[in-house]
Amino acid sequence: MPSNVIVGLQWGDEGKGKITDLLSENSDYVVRYQGGNNSGHSIHIKNHYFVLHIIPSGVIHPFIKCIIGPGVVVDPKSLIKELNQLESIGINTTQVFLAKRAHVTMPYHYLLDQYIEESLGNKSIGTTRRGIGPTYADKIGRIGIRILDFCNLKKFYKKLKQVLDYKNQIITKIYQRDPLSLKLIYEEYVEYYKVLSPRIIDSVYEIHNAFQQRKKILFEGAQAMLLDINYGTYPYVTTSSTSTGSVCSGVGIPPHYLNNLIGVAKAYCTRVGHGPFPTEIKDTKIENFLRQVGNEYGSTTNRARRCGWLDLFSLKYSCMINGINGLIITKLDVLSQLDIIKVGVGYTIHGKQLKQFPADLEYLEEQNLESIYVEFPGWYNNISDIYDYDNLPQNCKKYINFIEQYLNLKIFLISVGTERNQNIIKNKSLFFKIFS
């Protein structure tokens, strides 16, 4: 089956938006399979800069069908706002569709996300407060509202009343806040349904039919592997599974439909919010340099990202979980002008080296945990206008080769700038296999 899956391998913000846009050019469908509007995929094309929060990155190509899949949680207000913003700058969104099985983020989800974070104080997770976690919690708790519930307004009203009665008990009795109005929420969401109804489809059959017709499909996730609810640095994670395996449950296809499992990693690391970060840079000057040159600010929250050296120990773990068979390195150009570039290759605790990436967060939060580094000399060349791997500075190529050797994995594409064409094809056979 002609399909590609793209997944971030670190703590997010690896530049998946640009890569998804690039891979979209040769796709018939781009399908989002998890997450909500707590993510932000940035795309920079000539004079236009887009931040897509929930709409698949293929939307800028007018003939590609973009589907927001059943595994995604959808805030209708946010989705409509994003559609309108794209239309206002001349992007046709008629090919954007919404799975009827997708769950809906409601106003009480936003409030509960905020109240829970506030109640945790300095132990808070650092969520975007977009209601994503509470929406997924209701999904698992079997009290969620789905897009298909809007299609029968009597059913929607009855279900909303039942759930809101329960949520208002929590809001008023636990958090001592004012209850929400059933009438106002119902009327607001009926209007959203009127706007979105032409886009609602049974995506399971749409996608299976596309496979039968041998259409090329790109599956796009949000967040990244180390934020995975099962395999990330729990509890400082997102509330969905971000791995390649979640494509099957998030879209409704069998595993053998998946071909190329493409991982995206930055040439260094960043993390937004709280949680362990073993290779975080303690030198303020270097961290600020990476943040400014790499524009490391959250595309959804505009929060400053914590910056660190490339962590190959965790990256190897991520590649293993996802079965990555093609690797893309982004933002290599950001490292230019540094005297020394470090790469994390392992962790020690009390002087004892760990053999595996730990499942227990206490290991990563341990004050005596130290990263093991290999140092590389930097390069002072501007590489953002280089398109041939052989023309890269020698020190730069040593850095890339070390990554491949450590991971035992081929890098087929290197991004050296924000523009769509600022890429270096390193492994042409793998590149053309994916793009064929």
Side-chain angles (χ1 to χ4, degrees), residues 329-385:
I329 297 294
T330 62
K331 292 197 168 184
L332 184 63
D333 55 300
V334 175
L335 297 181
S336 300
Q337 310 304 317
L338 290 175
D339 294 323
I340 297 294
I341 299 168
K342 294 183 180 181
V343 179
V345 294
Y347 310 149
T348 63
I349 295 181
H350 298 290
K352 183 178 180 180
Q353 186 169 347
L354 299 183
K355 295 182 180 179
Q356 299 171 335
F357 186 78
D360 190 342
L361 185 65
E362 289 186 7
Y363 279 100
L364 292 176
E365 290 186 320
E366 173 69 53
Q367 290 183 356
N368 291 294
L369 182 143
E370 294 183 1
S371 289
I372 303 169
Y373 291 108
V374 174
E375 293 187 355
F376 291 85
W379 57 91
Y380 289 93
N381 308 61
N382 175 15
I383 64 171
S384 62
D385 56 355

Short mmCIF file of all heavy atoms in Angstrom, two decimals, residues 329-385:
data_model
loop_
_atom_site.label_atom_id
_atom_site.label_comp_id
_atom_site.label_asym_id
_atom_site.label_seq_id
_atom_site.Cartn_x
_atom_site.Cartn_y
_atom_site.Cartn_z
N ILE A 329 16.71 14.92 9.52
CA ILE A 329 17.28 15.84 10.51
C ILE A 329 16.96 17.27 10.09
O ILE A 329 17.19 17.66 8.95
CB ILE A 329 18.81 15.66 10.63
CG1 ILE A 329 19.14 14.25 11.15
CG2 ILE A 329 19.42 16.72 11.54
CD1 ILE A 329 18.68 13.99 12.57
N THR A 330 16.42 18.04 11.01
CA THR A 330 16.04 19.42 10.71
C THR A 330 16.90 20.41 11.51
O THR A 330 17.56 20.05 12.48
CB THR A 330 14.56 19.68 11.05
OG1 THR A 330 14.35 19.48 12.45
CG2 THR A 330 13.66 18.73 10.28
N LYS A 331 16.87 21.64 11.06
CA LYS A 331 17.52 22.77 11.74
C LYS A 331 19.02 22.56 11.97
O LYS A 331 19.59 23.06 12.94
CB LYS A 331 16.83 23.06 13.07
CG LYS A 331 15.41 23.61 12.89
CD LYS A 331 14.90 24.27 14.16
CE LYS A 331 13.63 25.06 13.90
NZ LYS A 331 13.16 25.79 15.08
N LEU A 332 19.66 21.88 11.06
CA LEU A 332 21.11 21.72 11.16
C LEU A 332 21.81 23.06 11.05
O LEU A 332 22.86 23.29 11.67
CB LEU A 332 21.61 20.77 10.06
CG LEU A 332 23.10 20.41 10.08
CD1 LEU A 332 23.48 19.67 11.35
CD2 LEU A 332 23.47 19.58 8.85
N ASP A 333 21.22 23.98 10.30
CA ASP A 333 21.81 25.30 10.10
C ASP A 333 21.91 26.10 11.40
O ASP A 333 22.78 26.98 11.54
CB ASP A 333 20.99 26.10 9.08
CG ASP A 333 19.53 26.19 9.47
OD1 ASP A 333 18.87 25.13 9.58
OD2 ASP A 333 19.02 27.32 9.65
N VAL A 334 21.05 25.80 12.36
CA VAL A 334 21.03 26.55 13.62
C VAL A 334 22.32 26.35 14.41
O VAL A 334 22.76 27.24 15.14
CB VAL A 334 19.80 26.15 14.47
CG1 VAL A 334 19.82 26.82 15.83
CG2 VAL A 334 18.51 26.50 13.73
N LEU A 335 22.97 25.20 14.22
CA LEU A 335 24.19 24.90 14.98
C LEU A 335 25.43 25.62 14.45
O LEU A 335 26.47 25.60 15.11
CB LEU A 335 24.44 23.39 14.99
CG LEU A 335 23.38 22.52 15.68
CD1 LEU A 335 23.79 21.06 15.62
CD2 LEU A 335 23.17 22.97 17.12
N SER A 336 25.31 26.21 13.28
CA SER A 336 26.46 26.95 12.74
C SER A 336 26.86 28.07 13.71
O SER A 336 26.02 28.62 14.43
CB SER A 336 26.11 27.56 11.38
OG SER A 336 25.75 26.55 10.45
N GLN A 337 28.12 28.37 13.75
CA GLN A 337 28.70 29.43 14.59
C GLN A 337 29.00 28.99 16.02
O GLN A 337 29.48 29.80 16.82
CB GLN A 337 27.82 30.69 14.62
CG GLN A 337 27.38 31.21 13.27
CD GLN A 337 28.55 31.49 12.33
OE1 GLN A 337 29.55 32.05 12.74
NE2 GLN A 337 28.42 31.07 11.07
N LEU A 338 28.74 27.73 16.37
CA LEU A 338 29.10 27.24 17.70
C LEU A 338 30.52 26.67 17.68
O LEU A 338 30.90 25.97 16.73
CB LEU A 338 28.13 26.16 18.17
CG LEU A 338 26.70 26.61 18.51
CD1 LEU A 338 25.83 25.41 18.85
CD2 LEU A 338 26.70 27.60 19.67
N ASP A 339 31.31 26.96 18.70
CA ASP A 339 32.68 26.43 18.78
C ASP A 339 32.68 24.92 18.99
O ASP A 339 33.40 24.19 18.31
CB ASP A 339 33.44 27.10 19.94
CG ASP A 339 33.66 28.59 19.69
OD1 ASP A 339 33.88 28.97 18.53
OD2 ASP A 339 33.60 29.36 20.66
N ILE A 340 31.88 24.48 19.95
CA ILE A 340 31.80 23.06 20.29
C ILE A 340 30.34 22.64 20.26
O ILE A 340 29.45 23.34 20.76
CB ILE A 340 32.38 22.79 21.70
CG1 ILE A 340 33.87 23.15 21.74
CG2 ILE A 340 32.17 21.33 22.10
CD1 ILE A 340 34.75 22.26 20.87
N ILE A 341 30.08 21.47 19.70
CA ILE A 341 28.73 20.91 19.66
C ILE A 341 28.76 19.58 20.39
O ILE A 341 29.56 18.70 20.07
CB ILE A 341 28.24 20.71 18.20
CG1 ILE A 341 28.19 22.07 17.48
CG2 ILE A 341 26.87 20.04 18.18
CD1 ILE A 341 27.99 21.96 16.00
N LYS A 342 27.90 19.44 21.37
CA LYS A 342 27.85 18.20 22.15
C LYS A 342 26.71 17.31 21.68
O LYS A 342 25.68 17.79 21.20
CB LYS A 342 27.67 18.52 23.64
CG LYS A 342 28.85 19.26 24.27
CD LYS A 342 28.59 19.46 25.76
CE LYS A 342 29.75 20.20 26.42
NZ LYS A 342 29.52 20.38 27.89
N VAL A 343 26.91 16.01 21.87
CA VAL A 343 25.88 15.02 21.56
C VAL A 343 25.77 14.08 22.75
O VAL A 343 26.77 13.48 23.17
CB VAL A 343 26.22 14.22 20.29
CG1 VAL A 343 25.14 13.18 20.01
CG2 VAL A 343 26.38 15.13 19.09
N GLY A 344 24.56 13.94 23.29
CA GLY A 344 24.33 13.00 24.39
C GLY A 344 24.25 11.57 23.88
O GLY A 344 23.49 11.28 22.96
N VAL A 345 25.05 10.69 24.47
CA VAL A 345 25.07 9.29 24.02
C VAL A 345 24.72 8.30 25.13
O VAL A 345 24.76 7.10 24.93
CB VAL A 345 26.46 8.93 23.43
CG1 VAL A 345 26.73 9.72 22.17
CG2 VAL A 345 27.57 9.15 24.46
N GLY A 346 24.34 8.80 26.31
CA GLY A 346 23.97 7.92 27.40
C GLY A 346 23.76 8.70 28.68
O GLY A 346 24.01 9.90 28.74
N TYR A 347 23.27 8.00 29.73
CA TYR A 347 23.07 8.61 31.04
C TYR A 347 23.78 7.79 32.10
O TYR A 347 23.91 6.56 31.99
CB TYR A 347 21.58 8.64 31.42
CG TYR A 347 20.62 9.21 30.41
CD1 TYR A 347 19.31 8.73 30.34
CD2 TYR A 347 20.98 10.23 29.53
CE1 TYR A 347 18.39 9.24 29.45
CE2 TYR A 347 20.08 10.75 28.62
CZ TYR A 347 18.78 10.25 28.58
OH TYR A 347 17.88 10.76 27.68
N THR A 348 24.21 8.49 33.14
CA THR A 348 24.72 7.81 34.34
C THR A 348 23.96 8.32 35.56
O THR A 348 23.55 9.48 35.61
CB THR A 348 26.22 8.05 34.55
OG1 THR A 348 26.45 9.46 34.79
CG2 THR A 348 27.03 7.60 33.35
N ILE A 349 23.77 7.43 36.53
CA ILE A 349 23.20 7.80 37.82
C ILE A 349 24.14 7.29 38.91
O ILE A 349 24.44 6.09 38.96
CB ILE A 349 21.79 7.22 38.02
CG1 ILE A 349 20.82 7.83 37.01
CG2 ILE A 349 21.30 7.47 39.44
CD1 ILE A 349 19.40 7.34 37.14
N HIS A 350 24.63 8.23 39.74
CA HIS A 350 25.62 7.89 40.77
C HIS A 350 26.83 7.18 40.14
O HIS A 350 27.38 6.24 40.73
CB HIS A 350 24.99 7.02 41.85
CG HIS A 350 23.87 7.70 42.59
ND1 HIS A 350 24.06 8.73 43.46
CD2 HIS A 350 22.52 7.47 42.55
CE1 HIS A 350 22.89 9.12 43.96
NE2 HIS A 350 21.94 8.37 43.41
N GLY A 351 27.17 7.61 38.95
CA GLY A 351 28.34 7.05 38.27
C GLY A 351 28.09 5.75 37.53
O GLY A 351 28.97 5.26 36.83
N LYS A 352 26.89 5.18 37.64
CA LYS A 352 26.58 3.92 36.96
C LYS A 352 25.83 4.21 35.66
O LYS A 352 24.81 4.90 35.66
CB LYS A 352 25.72 3.03 37.85
CG LYS A 352 25.42 1.67 37.24
CD LYS A 352 24.61 0.81 38.19
CE LYS A 352 24.31 -0.56 37.56
NZ LYS A 352 23.51 -1.42 38.48
N GLN A 353 26.33 3.68 34.56
CA GLN A 353 25.75 3.96 33.25
C GLN A 353 24.49 3.13 33.02
O GLN A 353 24.48 1.91 33.26
CB GLN A 353 26.76 3.70 32.13
CG GLN A 353 26.26 4.12 30.76
CD GLN A 353 27.37 4.10 29.71
OE1 GLN A 353 28.55 4.02 30.05
NE2 GLN A 353 27.00 4.18 28.46
N LEU A 354 23.43 3.78 32.56
CA LEU A 354 22.19 3.08 32.23
C LEU A 354 22.33 2.37 30.89
O LEU A 354 22.90 2.93 29.94
CB LEU A 354 21.02 4.06 32.16
CG LEU A 354 20.66 4.83 33.44
CD1 LEU A 354 19.42 5.69 33.20
CD2 LEU A 354 20.43 3.89 34.59
N LYS A 355 21.80 1.17 30.81
CA LYS A 355 21.87 0.40 29.58
C LYS A 355 20.69 0.68 28.66
O LYS A 355 20.77 0.46 27.45
CB LYS A 355 21.93 -1.10 29.89
CG LYS A 355 23.20 -1.51 30.62
CD LYS A 355 23.22 -3.02 30.87
CE LYS A 355 24.50 -3.44 31.60
NZ LYS A 355 24.52 -4.89 31.86
N GLN A 356 19.57 1.14 29.24
CA GLN A 356 18.35 1.37 28.46
C GLN A 356 17.73 2.70 28.87
O GLN A 356 17.93 3.17 30.00
CB GLN A 356 17.34 0.24 28.70
CG GLN A 356 17.83 -1.13 28.29
CD GLN A 356 16.88 -2.23 28.75
OE1 GLN A 356 16.14 -2.07 29.71
NE2 GLN A 356 16.90 -3.36 28.05
N PHE A 357 16.96 3.27 27.96
CA PHE A 357 16.21 4.49 28.30
C PHE A 357 15.19 4.12 29.37
O PHE A 357 14.38 3.20 29.18
CB PHE A 357 15.52 5.04 27.06
CG PHE A 357 14.85 6.37 27.29
CD1 PHE A 357 15.60 7.53 27.32
CD2 PHE A 357 13.47 6.45 27.49
CE1 PHE A 357 14.98 8.77 27.54
CE2 PHE A 357 12.86 7.67 27.70
CZ PHE A 357 13.62 8.83 27.74
N PRO A 358 15.19 4.81 30.51
CA PRO A 358 14.39 4.37 31.65
C PRO A 358 12.90 4.64 31.50
O PRO A 358 12.49 5.68 30.99
CB PRO A 358 14.97 5.17 32.81
CG PRO A 358 15.53 6.40 32.19
CD PRO A 358 16.03 5.99 30.83
N ALA A 359 12.09 3.69 31.96
CA ALA A 359 10.64 3.88 32.00
C ALA A 359 10.22 4.68 33.22
O ALA A 359 9.19 5.35 33.20
CB ALA A 359 9.93 2.52 32.00
N ASP A 360 11.02 4.59 34.28
CA ASP A 360 10.70 5.24 35.55
C ASP A 360 11.17 6.69 35.52
O ASP A 360 12.37 6.96 35.42
CB ASP A 360 11.37 4.48 36.70
CG ASP A 360 10.89 4.95 38.06
OD1 ASP A 360 10.32 6.05 38.15
OD2 ASP A 360 11.10 4.22 39.04
N LEU A 361 10.24 7.60 35.65
CA LEU A 361 10.57 9.02 35.59
C LEU A 361 11.53 9.43 36.70
O LEU A 361 12.31 10.36 36.54
CB LEU A 361 9.29 9.86 35.69
CG LEU A 361 9.46 11.36 35.52
CD1 LEU A 361 9.92 11.69 34.12
CD2 LEU A 361 8.15 12.08 35.82
N GLU A 362 11.50 8.71 37.82
CA GLU A 362 12.38 9.07 38.92
C GLU A 362 13.85 9.00 38.52
O GLU A 362 14.68 9.74 39.03
CB GLU A 362 12.11 8.16 40.13
CG GLU A 362 10.77 8.44 40.80
CD GLU A 362 10.59 7.63 42.07
OE1 GLU A 362 11.55 6.95 42.49
OE2 GLU A 362 9.48 7.68 42.64
N TYR A 363 14.17 8.11 37.60
CA TYR A 363 15.55 8.04 37.11
C TYR A 363 15.92 9.34 36.38
O TYR A 363 17.00 9.89 36.57
CB TYR A 363 15.72 6.87 36.15
CG TYR A 363 15.92 5.54 36.84
CD1 TYR A 363 14.87 4.65 36.98
CD2 TYR A 363 17.18 5.18 37.34
CE1 TYR A 363 15.05 3.42 37.61
CE2 TYR A 363 17.37 3.96 37.96
CZ TYR A 363 16.29 3.08 38.10
OH TYR A 363 16.48 1.89 38.73
N LEU A 364 14.99 9.81 35.54
CA LEU A 364 15.28 11.01 34.76
C LEU A 364 15.26 12.28 35.60
O LEU A 364 15.91 13.26 35.27
CB LEU A 364 14.27 11.13 33.61
CG LEU A 364 14.38 10.07 32.51
CD1 LEU A 364 13.28 10.24 31.49
CD2 LEU A 364 15.73 10.10 31.83
N GLU A 365 14.51 12.24 36.70
CA GLU A 365 14.44 13.40 37.58
C GLU A 365 15.52 13.37 38.67
O GLU A 365 15.67 14.32 39.42
CB GLU A 365 13.06 13.48 38.24
CG GLU A 365 11.96 13.85 37.27
CD GLU A 365 10.63 14.08 37.96
OE1 GLU A 365 10.32 13.30 38.88
OE2 GLU A 365 9.90 15.00 37.57
N GLU A 366 16.22 12.25 38.75
CA GLU A 366 17.27 12.10 39.76
C GLU A 366 18.32 13.19 39.61
O GLU A 366 18.85 13.44 38.53
CB GLU A 366 17.93 10.71 39.58
CG GLU A 366 19.14 10.46 40.42
CD GLU A 366 18.81 10.34 41.89
OE1 GLU A 366 17.92 9.53 42.23
OE2 GLU A 366 19.45 11.06 42.67
N GLN A 367 18.62 13.87 40.71
CA GLN A 367 19.57 14.98 40.67
C GLN A 367 20.98 14.51 40.29
O GLN A 367 21.79 15.28 39.78
CB GLN A 367 19.61 15.68 42.03
CG GLN A 367 18.33 16.46 42.33
CD GLN A 367 18.41 17.22 43.63
OE1 GLN A 367 19.39 17.11 44.37
NE2 GLN A 367 17.38 17.99 43.93
N ASN A 368 21.25 13.26 40.54
CA ASN A 368 22.58 12.74 40.22
C ASN A 368 22.67 12.14 38.82
O ASN A 368 23.66 11.50 38.48
CB ASN A 368 23.00 11.68 41.25
CG ASN A 368 23.25 12.30 42.62
OD1 ASN A 368 24.18 13.08 42.80
ND2 ASN A 368 22.39 11.99 43.58
N LEU A 369 21.61 12.29 38.03
CA LEU A 369 21.67 11.82 36.65
C LEU A 369 22.53 12.78 35.84
O LEU A 369 22.37 14.00 35.91
CB LEU A 369 20.27 11.73 36.05
CG LEU A 369 20.21 11.19 34.60
CD1 LEU A 369 18.98 10.32 34.41
CD2 LEU A 369 20.17 12.33 33.58
N GLU A 370 23.43 12.24 35.06
CA GLU A 370 24.28 13.04 34.18
C GLU A 370 24.27 12.43 32.79
O GLU A 370 24.21 11.21 32.63
CB GLU A 370 25.72 13.10 34.71
CG GLU A 370 25.85 13.83 36.04
CD GLU A 370 27.29 13.93 36.49
OE1 GLU A 370 28.18 13.43 35.77
OE2 GLU A 370 27.54 14.50 37.56
N SER A 371 24.33 13.30 31.80
CA SER A 371 24.43 12.82 30.42
C SER A 371 25.89 12.60 30.05
O SER A 371 26.77 13.35 30.47
CB SER A 371 23.80 13.85 29.46
OG SER A 371 22.40 13.86 29.59
N ILE A 372 26.10 11.58 29.26
CA ILE A 372 27.42 11.30 28.71
C ILE A 372 27.49 11.97 27.34
O ILE A 372 26.61 11.76 26.49
CB ILE A 372 27.66 9.79 28.55
CG1 ILE A 372 27.48 9.09 29.90
CG2 ILE A 372 29.04 9.51 27.97
CD1 ILE A 372 27.43 7.57 29.79
N TYR A 373 28.50 12.78 27.12
CA TYR A 373 28.59 13.55 25.88
C TYR A 373 29.80 13.16 25.05
O TYR A 373 30.85 12.78 25.56
CB TYR A 373 28.68 15.05 26.18
CG TYR A 373 27.42 15.65 26.75
CD1 TYR A 373 27.35 16.03 28.09
CD2 TYR A 373 26.30 15.85 25.94
CE1 TYR A 373 26.20 16.60 28.62
CE2 TYR A 373 25.14 16.42 26.45
CZ TYR A 373 25.10 16.79 27.79
OH TYR A 373 23.96 17.34 28.30
N VAL A 374 29.61 13.28 23.75
CA VAL A 374 30.71 13.28 22.79
C VAL A 374 30.74 14.69 22.20
O VAL A 374 29.68 15.24 21.85
CB VAL A 374 30.51 12.23 21.67
CG1 VAL A 374 31.59 12.36 20.61
CG2 VAL A 374 30.51 10.82 22.26
N GLU A 375 31.93 15.27 22.10
CA GLU A 375 32.04 16.64 21.59
C GLU A 375 32.56 16.66 20.16
O GLU A 375 33.44 15.87 19.80
CB GLU A 375 32.95 17.47 22.49
CG GLU A 375 32.39 17.70 23.87
CD GLU A 375 33.23 18.67 24.68
OE1 GLU A 375 34.31 19.10 24.19
OE2 GLU A 375 32.82 19.01 25.81
N PHE A 376 32.02 17.59 19.38
CA PHE A 376 32.44 17.78 17.99
C PHE A 376 32.84 19.23 17.78
O PHE A 376 32.19 20.14 18.33
CB PHE A 376 31.30 17.42 17.03
CG PHE A 376 30.97 15.97 16.97
CD1 PHE A 376 30.10 15.41 17.89
CD2 PHE A 376 31.55 15.16 16.02
CE1 PHE A 376 29.80 14.06 17.86
CE2 PHE A 376 31.26 13.80 15.97
CZ PHE A 376 30.38 13.25 16.90
N PRO A 377 33.85 19.47 16.99
CA PRO A 377 34.18 20.87 16.65
C PRO A 377 33.10 21.45 15.75
O PRO A 377 32.53 20.74 14.90
CB PRO A 377 35.51 20.75 15.91
CG PRO A 377 35.53 19.35 15.36
CD PRO A 377 34.78 18.51 16.36
N GLY A 378 32.79 22.72 15.94
CA GLY A 378 31.74 23.35 15.15
C GLY A 378 32.21 23.75 13.77
O GLY A 378 33.34 23.46 13.35
N TRP A 379 31.35 24.41 13.06
CA TRP A 379 31.68 24.94 11.73
C TRP A 379 31.13 26.37 11.66
O TRP A 379 30.14 26.70 12.31
CB TRP A 379 31.08 24.06 10.62
CG TRP A 379 29.59 23.90 10.73
CD1 TRP A 379 28.62 24.66 10.17
CD2 TRP A 379 28.89 22.86 11.46
NE1 TRP A 379 27.37 24.19 10.50
CE2 TRP A 379 27.50 23.09 11.28
CE3 TRP A 379 29.30 21.77 12.24
CZ2 TRP A 379 26.53 22.27 11.86
CZ3 TRP A 379 28.33 20.96 12.80
CH2 TRP A 379 26.97 21.20 12.62
N TYR A 380 31.78 27.19 10.92
CA TYR A 380 31.39 28.60 10.90
C TYR A 380 30.81 29.02 9.55
O TYR A 380 30.62 30.18 9.29
CB TYR A 380 32.60 29.47 11.26
CG TYR A 380 32.97 29.34 12.71
CD1 TYR A 380 33.91 28.42 13.12
CD2 TYR A 380 32.34 30.13 13.68
CE1 TYR A 380 34.24 28.27 14.46
CE2 TYR A 380 32.66 30.00 15.01
CZ TYR A 380 33.61 29.07 15.40
OH TYR A 380 33.92 28.93 16.74
N ASN A 381 30.54 28.03 8.72
CA ASN A 381 29.97 28.33 7.41
C ASN A 381 28.45 28.49 7.50
O ASN A 381 27.79 27.80 8.28
CB ASN A 381 30.29 27.20 6.42
CG ASN A 381 31.76 26.86 6.39
OD1 ASN A 381 32.32 26.46 7.42
ND2 ASN A 381 32.39 26.97 5.23
N ASN A 382 27.90 29.35 6.67
CA ASN A 382 26.46 29.43 6.50
C ASN A 382 26.04 28.29 5.57
O ASN A 382 26.40 28.28 4.40
CB ASN A 382 26.07 30.78 5.91
CG ASN A 382 24.57 30.87 5.61
OD1 ASN A 382 23.79 30.05 6.09
ND2 ASN A 382 24.19 31.86 4.83
N ILE A 383 25.31 27.33 6.10
CA ILE A 383 24.95 26.16 5.28
C ILE A 383 23.52 26.24 4.76
O ILE A 383 23.03 25.30 4.13
CB ILE A 383 25.14 24.85 6.08
CG1 ILE A 383 24.18 24.80 7.28
CG2 ILE A 383 26.58 24.71 6.54
CD1 ILE A 383 24.17 23.45 7.98
N SER A 384 22.83 27.35 5.00
CA SER A 384 21.41 27.45 4.62
C SER A 384 21.19 27.53 3.12
O SER A 384 20.07 27.34 2.65
CB SER A 384 20.76 28.66 5.31
OG SER A 384 21.39 29.86 4.89
N ASP A 385 22.25 27.80 2.36
CA ASP A 385 22.11 27.86 0.90
C ASP A 385 22.84 26.69 0.22
O ASP A 385 23.14 26.76 -0.98
CB ASP A 385 22.61 29.20 0.35
CG ASP A 385 24.06 29.49 0.75
OD1 ASP A 385 24.64 28.69 1.52
OD2 ASP A 385 24.60 30.51 0.29
#
